[in-house]
Amino acid sequence: MTYVKNEDKKENKYKVSPKAKDRADTSITRELEGVDVFLFNNTHLPDEIGTTLEEAAGSDFELAIITNRGVKAYPGGFTETFTTDHWRCRFLPTAANGKTDKESIMALLNRITEAGLDWIKVENLYSFDGNIGYSEAKK
């Protein structure tokens, strides 16, 4: 059996460049539409988290929904829902703002921290050419 080193191969087996920068499509419009903030919490009930986050949302955002394991926990969740310590909290810009930016998201995260909640991860919500690129959260 003969082995050939990768660097000795002359042909490119890829039909498309493996480098993202070579495939960039600048015709696609990407727009920031909100943020999912993930919390670590094993002490507060969903209604307590929701009330705290509604206050932290400020005038820039509205708290759309809180889920736990993919199940709606707030507003209007069921008290018998089995929850873990990992919460997804979706924030969308208020109707007055209509849009958001990274600076507003950073300010939101600061308010959440000041409220005593432990955010552990953030996922920005984008649309691409007007089509949402994130899961829809059912209220």
Side-chain angles (χ1 to χ4, degrees):
M1 187 180 273
T2 304
Y3 293 96
V4 178
K5 293 181 187 176
N6 281 340
E7 59 266 13
D8 292 339
K9 293 181 181 178
K10 300 288 185 225
E11 71 181 66
N12 180 355
K13 67 179 180 177
Y14 300 103
K15 303 290 184 226
V16 177
S17 174
K19 298 178 181 108
K21 70 177 188 70
D22 294 338
R23 300 184 318 274
D25 185 347
T26 57
S27 69
I28 296 174
T29 303
R30 183 177 74 144
E31 192 168 334
L32 182 58
E33 296 194 348
V35 64
D36 281 346
V37 177
F38 293 82
L39 300 179
F40 171 82
N41 172 71
N42 58 9
T43 57
H44 301 296
L45 296 172
D47 286 346
E48 295 171 323
I49 298 169
T51 301
T52 302
L53 289 177
E54 284 178 350
E55 292 174 15
S59 60
D60 298 339
F61 292 96
E62 65 174 344
L63 175 63
I65 191 169
I66 299 175
T67 62
N68 190 291
R69 299 179 312 101
V71 177
K72 177 181 168 182
Y74 182 88
F78 296 104
T79 55
E80 58 273 0
T81 300
F82 182 85
T83 58
T84 65
D85 59 12
H86 193 90
W87 304 81
R88 181 190 67 161
C89 311
R90 176 155 295 173
F91 291 90
L92 300 172
T94 60
N97 284 351
K99 295 189 182 232
T100 190
D101 55 34
K102 291 181 181 178
E103 290 79 17
S104 297
I105 292 171
M106 292 301 296
L108 171 65
L109 295 174
N110 285 332
R111 292 190 300 268
I112 292 171
T113 300
E114 289 169 2
L117 296 175
D118 183 13
W119 61 271
I120 55 174
K121 176 178 142 176
V122 174
E123 289 184 7
N124 291 340
L125 306 175
Y126 287 98
S127 66
F128 300 90
D129 286 340
N131 299 308
I132 64 169
Y134 51 92
S135 65
E136 289 190 80
K138 304 295 183 199
K139 288 187 177 184

